[in-house]
Amino acid sequence: MTAPPKPFNPARSLDHHAERVDLAAAFRWFARLEMHESVANHLSAAVSPDGAKFLINPRGRHFARICASDLLLLDAHDMSTLERPEAPDRTAWYLHAMLHAKLPEARCVMHLHSKYATALACLEDSVLYPIDMNTMRFFGRVALDEEFGGMALSDAEGNRVAGMLAGGATVLLMANHGILVVGASVAQAFDELYYFERAAETLLTCYASGKKLRIVSDEIAALTAEQWRGYGQLAVDHFENIKAILDAEEPAYRH
Ligand SMILES: [Zn+2]
């Protein structure tokens, strides 16, 4: 008779339970949306005021199976983190630890290689032109990182990325790579990433038609982006509905 499998994370914990539940819900929903890369990519949430302590997914766990207690609690200032048996993926550490340490207001950091955002990042012209309300939502808030230099495996790379977001952008489109979003909460970052993916899908669908784009003026795009800011509750409602569906269909994510 074979022994039962050991718990994935030996230091299972339910500290910071609300943040754990929200982050686990985001993983599960991105899996449902096919915006995941199986066990790769990472989402993290700060749990200390200075941002240095944060939750992140463990190495080798599929997005669709992540539970609240699986999430690792790390300290951006603890340089021994990568030596531990339960160390996170190295690219996750270099990107997220530096971002949380440098940008404490970014309570949630989400990095994905989702299909449409990544396709946009692979075009020579990666601008998200304002052509519908979803694309206009991001007008003036997207930073473009055009310096793909391989996987992020150093503090310098994390530092560079943090610098690109220091000017107030909430979205970093990473050329030849994917997307990174920061938000004031898990719900906000999730909503931002969800809508960016839809916006990129619309733009790429227009490109696929071979017809010219109907691009609105900067003034109309800026006005619409400002109007979006009046819909802050949308992100909260969106995420509460997602958790309600998960509670009914796969409540184990909370454990
Ligand atoms: Zn990546």
Side-chain angles (χ1 to χ4, degrees), residues 153-178:
L153 289 172
S154 71
D155 281 344
E157 181 62 6
N159 217 353
R160 192 179 69 78
V161 169
M164 298 195 72
L165 289 167
T170 56
V171 177
L172 182 66
L173 196 59
M174 306 159 92
N176 308 108
H177 183 176

PDB file of all heavy atoms in Angstrom, residues 153-178:
ATOM      1  N   LEU A 153      16.188  37.048 -13.979  1.00  0.00           N
ATOM      2  CA  LEU A 153      16.921  36.232 -13.011  1.00  0.00           C
ATOM      3  C   LEU A 153      17.919  37.049 -12.215  1.00  0.00           C
ATOM      4  O   LEU A 153      18.985  36.558 -11.825  1.00  0.00           O
ATOM      5  CB  LEU A 153      17.653  35.080 -13.734  1.00  0.00           C
ATOM      6  CG  LEU A 153      16.732  33.973 -14.276  1.00  0.00           C
ATOM      7  CD1 LEU A 153      17.504  32.987 -15.132  1.00  0.00           C
ATOM      8  CD2 LEU A 153      16.045  33.230 -13.129  1.00  0.00           C
ATOM      9  N   SER A 154      17.599  38.305 -11.942  1.00  0.00           N
ATOM     10  CA  SER A 154      18.498  39.116 -11.123  1.00  0.00           C
ATOM     11  C   SER A 154      17.714  40.241 -10.469  1.00  0.00           C
ATOM     12  O   SER A 154      16.648  40.639 -10.959  1.00  0.00           O
ATOM     13  CB  SER A 154      19.618  39.717 -11.974  1.00  0.00           C
ATOM     14  OG  SER A 154      19.078  40.725 -12.810  1.00  0.00           O
ATOM     15  N   ASP A 155      18.270  40.761  -9.364  1.00  0.00           N
ATOM     16  CA  ASP A 155      17.663  41.923  -8.712  1.00  0.00           C
ATOM     17  C   ASP A 155      17.606  43.104  -9.669  1.00  0.00           C
ATOM     18  O   ASP A 155      16.688  43.921  -9.622  1.00  0.00           O
ATOM     19  CB  ASP A 155      18.480  42.321  -7.481  1.00  0.00           C
ATOM     20  CG  ASP A 155      18.162  41.416  -6.296  1.00  0.00           C
ATOM     21  OD1 ASP A 155      17.136  40.725  -6.341  1.00  0.00           O
ATOM     22  OD2 ASP A 155      18.953  41.408  -5.336  1.00  0.00           O
ATOM     23  N   ALA A 156      18.620  43.195 -10.540  1.00  0.00           N
ATOM     24  CA  ALA A 156      18.686  44.332 -11.470  1.00  0.00           C
ATOM     25  C   ALA A 156      17.458  44.356 -12.368  1.00  0.00           C
ATOM     26  O   ALA A 156      16.890  45.422 -12.639  1.00  0.00           O
ATOM     27  CB  ALA A 156      19.965  44.245 -12.309  1.00  0.00           C
ATOM     28  N   GLU A 157      17.011  43.190 -12.790  1.00  0.00           N
ATOM     29  CA  GLU A 157      15.848  43.125 -13.672  1.00  0.00           C
ATOM     30  C   GLU A 157      14.591  43.560 -12.903  1.00  0.00           C
ATOM     31  O   GLU A 157      13.767  44.320 -13.421  1.00  0.00           O
ATOM     32  CB  GLU A 157      15.688  41.705 -14.229  1.00  0.00           C
ATOM     33  CG  GLU A 157      14.520  41.515 -15.172  1.00  0.00           C
ATOM     34  CD  GLU A 157      14.598  42.358 -16.441  1.00  0.00           C
ATOM     35  OE1 GLU A 157      15.624  43.015 -16.662  1.00  0.00           O
ATOM     36  OE2 GLU A 157      13.594  42.371 -17.178  1.00  0.00           O
ATOM     37  N   GLY A 158      14.444  43.079 -11.672  1.00  0.00           N
ATOM     38  CA  GLY A 158      13.302  43.486 -10.852  1.00  0.00           C
ATOM     39  C   GLY A 158      13.322  44.981 -10.585  1.00  0.00           C
ATOM     40  O   GLY A 158      12.289  45.652 -10.612  1.00  0.00           O
ATOM     41  N   ASN A 159      14.507  45.496 -10.347  1.00  0.00           N
ATOM     42  CA  ASN A 159      14.692  46.919 -10.091  1.00  0.00           C
ATOM     43  C   ASN A 159      14.290  47.756 -11.304  1.00  0.00           C
ATOM     44  O   ASN A 159      13.608  48.777 -11.188  1.00  0.00           O
ATOM     45  CB  ASN A 159      16.179  47.160  -9.795  1.00  0.00           C
ATOM     46  CG  ASN A 159      16.364  48.207  -8.736  1.00  0.00           C
ATOM     47  OD1 ASN A 159      15.406  48.854  -8.311  1.00  0.00           O
ATOM     48  ND2 ASN A 159      17.599  48.389  -8.318  1.00  0.00           N
ATOM     49  N   ARG A 160      14.707  47.293 -12.461  1.00  0.00           N
ATOM     50  CA  ARG A 160      14.403  47.998 -13.707  1.00  0.00           C
ATOM     51  C   ARG A 160      12.890  48.045 -13.948  1.00  0.00           C
ATOM     52  O   ARG A 160      12.324  49.084 -14.286  1.00  0.00           O
ATOM     53  CB  ARG A 160      15.098  47.270 -14.863  1.00  0.00           C
ATOM     54  CG  ARG A 160      15.126  48.022 -16.172  1.00  0.00           C
ATOM     55  CD  ARG A 160      15.854  47.208 -17.227  1.00  0.00           C
ATOM     56  NE  ARG A 160      15.119  46.020 -17.617  1.00  0.00           N
ATOM     57  CZ  ARG A 160      14.072  46.019 -18.445  1.00  0.00           C
ATOM     58  NH1 ARG A 160      13.664  47.140 -18.986  1.00  0.00           N
ATOM     59  NH2 ARG A 160      13.430  44.901 -18.732  1.00  0.00           N
ATOM     60  N   VAL A 161      12.232  46.906 -13.729  1.00  0.00           N
ATOM     61  CA  VAL A 161      10.778  46.832 -13.933  1.00  0.00           C
ATOM     62  C   VAL A 161      10.053  47.734 -12.930  1.00  0.00           C
ATOM     63  O   VAL A 161       9.106  48.441 -13.282  1.00  0.00           O
ATOM     64  CB  VAL A 161      10.300  45.371 -13.826  1.00  0.00           C
ATOM     65  CG1 VAL A 161       8.781  45.295 -13.760  1.00  0.00           C
ATOM     66  CG2 VAL A 161      10.820  44.563 -15.017  1.00  0.00           C
ATOM     67  N   ALA A 162      10.520  47.735 -11.671  1.00  0.00           N
ATOM     68  CA  ALA A 162       9.899  48.599 -10.651  1.00  0.00           C
ATOM     69  C   ALA A 162      10.017  50.058 -11.074  1.00  0.00           C
ATOM     70  O   ALA A 162       9.062  50.841 -10.908  1.00  0.00           O
ATOM     71  CB  ALA A 162      10.572  48.374  -9.300  1.00  0.00           C
ATOM     72  N   GLY A 163      11.145  50.431 -11.654  1.00  0.00           N
ATOM     73  CA  GLY A 163      11.345  51.803 -12.109  1.00  0.00           C
ATOM     74  C   GLY A 163      10.355  52.195 -13.194  1.00  0.00           C
ATOM     75  O   GLY A 163       9.886  53.338 -13.245  1.00  0.00           O
ATOM     76  N   MET A 164       9.997  51.248 -14.047  1.00  0.00           N
ATOM     77  CA  MET A 164       9.076  51.555 -15.137  1.00  0.00           C
ATOM     78  C   MET A 164       7.657  51.777 -14.634  1.00  0.00           C
ATOM     79  O   MET A 164       6.845  52.411 -15.310  1.00  0.00           O
ATOM     80  CB  MET A 164       9.091  50.418 -16.169  1.00  0.00           C
ATOM     81  CG  MET A 164      10.458  50.230 -16.798  1.00  0.00           C
ATOM     82  SD  MET A 164      10.408  49.229 -18.282  1.00  0.00           S
ATOM     83  CE  MET A 164       9.637  50.367 -19.415  1.00  0.00           C
ATOM     84  N   LEU A 165       7.332  51.243 -13.442  1.00  0.00           N
ATOM     85  CA  LEU A 165       5.985  51.411 -12.890  1.00  0.00           C
ATOM     86  C   LEU A 165       5.921  52.558 -11.882  1.00  0.00           C
ATOM     87  O   LEU A 165       4.846  52.899 -11.398  1.00  0.00           O
ATOM     88  CB  LEU A 165       5.522  50.111 -12.218  1.00  0.00           C
ATOM     89  CG  LEU A 165       5.204  48.978 -13.193  1.00  0.00           C
ATOM     90  CD1 LEU A 165       5.066  47.664 -12.437  1.00  0.00           C
ATOM     91  CD2 LEU A 165       3.925  49.282 -13.964  1.00  0.00           C
ATOM     92  N   ALA A 166       7.074  53.139 -11.557  1.00  0.00           N
ATOM     93  CA  ALA A 166       7.106  54.172 -10.524  1.00  0.00           C
ATOM     94  C   ALA A 166       6.374  55.440 -10.960  1.00  0.00           C
ATOM     95  O   ALA A 166       5.968  56.247 -10.124  1.00  0.00           O
ATOM     96  CB  ALA A 166       8.556  54.494 -10.155  1.00  0.00           C
ATOM     97  N   GLY A 167       6.168  55.623 -12.260  1.00  0.00           N
ATOM     98  CA  GLY A 167       5.527  56.840 -12.753  1.00  0.00           C
ATOM     99  C   GLY A 167       4.007  56.816 -12.713  1.00  0.00           C
ATOM    100  O   GLY A 167       3.363  57.749 -13.192  1.00  0.00           O
ATOM    101  N   GLY A 168       3.405  55.765 -12.171  1.00  0.00           N
ATOM    102  CA  GLY A 168       1.955  55.723 -12.044  1.00  0.00           C
ATOM    103  C   GLY A 168       1.256  54.778 -13.009  1.00  0.00           C
ATOM    104  O   GLY A 168       0.037  54.633 -12.949  1.00  0.00           O
ATOM    105  N   ALA A 169       2.004  54.151 -13.924  1.00  0.00           N
ATOM    106  CA  ALA A 169       1.379  53.163 -14.811  1.00  0.00           C
ATOM    107  C   ALA A 169       0.917  51.969 -13.972  1.00  0.00           C
ATOM    108  O   ALA A 169       1.565  51.611 -12.988  1.00  0.00           O
ATOM    109  CB  ALA A 169       2.371  52.710 -15.877  1.00  0.00           C
ATOM    110  N   THR A 170      -0.199  51.373 -14.344  1.00  0.00           N
ATOM    111  CA  THR A 170      -0.677  50.185 -13.631  1.00  0.00           C
ATOM    112  C   THR A 170      -0.462  48.922 -14.451  1.00  0.00           C
ATOM    113  O   THR A 170      -0.625  47.826 -13.949  1.00  0.00           O
ATOM    114  CB  THR A 170      -2.178  50.307 -13.315  1.00  0.00           C
ATOM    115  OG1 THR A 170      -2.873  50.543 -14.541  1.00  0.00           O
ATOM    116  CG2 THR A 170      -2.451  51.446 -12.343  1.00  0.00           C
ATOM    117  N   VAL A 171      -0.137  49.109 -15.727  1.00  0.00           N
ATOM    118  CA  VAL A 171       0.077  47.978 -16.626  1.00  0.00           C
ATOM    119  C   VAL A 171       1.458  48.093 -17.250  1.00  0.00           C
ATOM    120  O   VAL A 171       1.822  49.168 -17.735  1.00  0.00           O
ATOM    121  CB  VAL A 171      -0.977  47.957 -17.758  1.00  0.00           C
ATOM    122  CG1 VAL A 171      -0.697  46.809 -18.723  1.00  0.00           C
ATOM    123  CG2 VAL A 171      -2.383  47.862 -17.193  1.00  0.00           C
ATOM    124  N   LEU A 172       2.203  47.007 -17.228  1.00  0.00           N
ATOM    125  CA  LEU A 172       3.485  46.962 -17.933  1.00  0.00           C
ATOM    126  C   LEU A 172       3.367  45.881 -19.002  1.00  0.00           C
ATOM    127  O   LEU A 172       3.224  44.700 -18.680  1.00  0.00           O
ATOM    128  CB  LEU A 172       4.626  46.620 -16.969  1.00  0.00           C
ATOM    129  CG  LEU A 172       6.016  46.597 -17.617  1.00  0.00           C
ATOM    130  CD1 LEU A 172       6.433  47.997 -18.079  1.00  0.00           C
ATOM    131  CD2 LEU A 172       7.059  46.047 -16.647  1.00  0.00           C
ATOM    132  N   LEU A 173       3.387  46.313 -20.258  1.00  0.00           N
ATOM    133  CA  LEU A 173       3.366  45.361 -21.363  1.00  0.00           C
ATOM    134  C   LEU A 173       4.825  45.045 -21.684  1.00  0.00           C
ATOM    135  O   LEU A 173       5.609  45.955 -21.983  1.00  0.00           O
ATOM    136  CB  LEU A 173       2.644  45.979 -22.566  1.00  0.00           C
ATOM    137  CG  LEU A 173       2.205  44.996 -23.645  1.00  0.00           C
ATOM    138  CD1 LEU A 173       1.262  43.933 -23.096  1.00  0.00           C
ATOM    139  CD2 LEU A 173       1.560  45.737 -24.811  1.00  0.00           C
ATOM    140  N   MET A 174       5.175  43.773 -21.564  1.00  0.00           N
ATOM    141  CA  MET A 174       6.575  43.362 -21.659  1.00  0.00           C
ATOM    142  C   MET A 174       6.833  42.756 -23.038  1.00  0.00           C
ATOM    143  O   MET A 174       6.363  41.650 -23.340  1.00  0.00           O
ATOM    144  CB  MET A 174       6.872  42.359 -20.541  1.00  0.00           C
ATOM    145  CG  MET A 174       6.490  42.913 -19.161  1.00  0.00           C
ATOM    146  SD  MET A 174       6.252  41.633 -17.925  1.00  0.00           S
ATOM    147  CE  MET A 174       7.900  41.538 -17.225  1.00  0.00           C
ATOM    148  N   ALA A 175       7.557  43.481 -23.877  1.00  0.00           N
ATOM    149  CA  ALA A 175       7.785  43.054 -25.250  1.00  0.00           C
ATOM    150  C   ALA A 175       8.386  41.660 -25.313  1.00  0.00           C
ATOM    151  O   ALA A 175       9.271  41.311 -24.517  1.00  0.00           O
ATOM    152  CB  ALA A 175       8.708  44.050 -25.953  1.00  0.00           C
ATOM    153  N   ASN A 176       7.889  40.850 -26.250  1.00  0.00           N
ATOM    154  CA  ASN A 176       8.367  39.467 -26.457  1.00  0.00           C
ATOM    155  C   ASN A 176       8.178  38.588 -25.217  1.00  0.00           C
ATOM    156  O   ASN A 176       8.856  37.574 -25.061  1.00  0.00           O
ATOM    157  CB  ASN A 176       9.864  39.455 -26.841  1.00  0.00           C
ATOM    158  CG  ASN A 176      10.159  40.364 -28.002  1.00  0.00           C
ATOM    159  OD1 ASN A 176      10.764  41.425 -27.845  1.00  0.00           O
ATOM    160  ND2 ASN A 176       9.706  39.980 -29.174  1.00  0.00           N
ATOM    161  N   HIS A 177       7.254  38.974 -24.317  1.00  0.00           N
ATOM    162  CA  HIS A 177       7.153  38.258 -23.046  1.00  0.00           C
ATOM    163  C   HIS A 177       5.717  38.123 -22.545  1.00  0.00           C
ATOM    164  O   HIS A 177       5.151  37.045 -22.605  1.00  0.00           O
ATOM    165  CB  HIS A 177       8.044  38.991 -22.027  1.00  0.00           C
ATOM    166  CG  HIS A 177       8.107  38.332 -20.692  1.00  0.00           C
ATOM    167  ND1 HIS A 177       8.912  38.798 -19.672  1.00  0.00           N
ATOM    168  CD2 HIS A 177       7.467  37.262 -20.178  1.00  0.00           C
ATOM    169  CE1 HIS A 177       8.785  38.025 -18.622  1.00  0.00           C
ATOM    170  NE2 HIS A 177       7.898  37.095 -18.897  1.00  0.00           N
ATOM    171  N   GLY A 178       5.100  39.188 -22.066  1.00  0.00           N
ATOM    172  CA  GLY A 178       3.759  39.064 -21.491  1.00  0.00           C
ATOM    173  C   GLY A 178       3.330  40.361 -20.850  1.00  0.00           C
ATOM    174  O   GLY A 178       3.661  41.448 -21.328  1.00  0.00           O
TER     175      GLY A 178
END
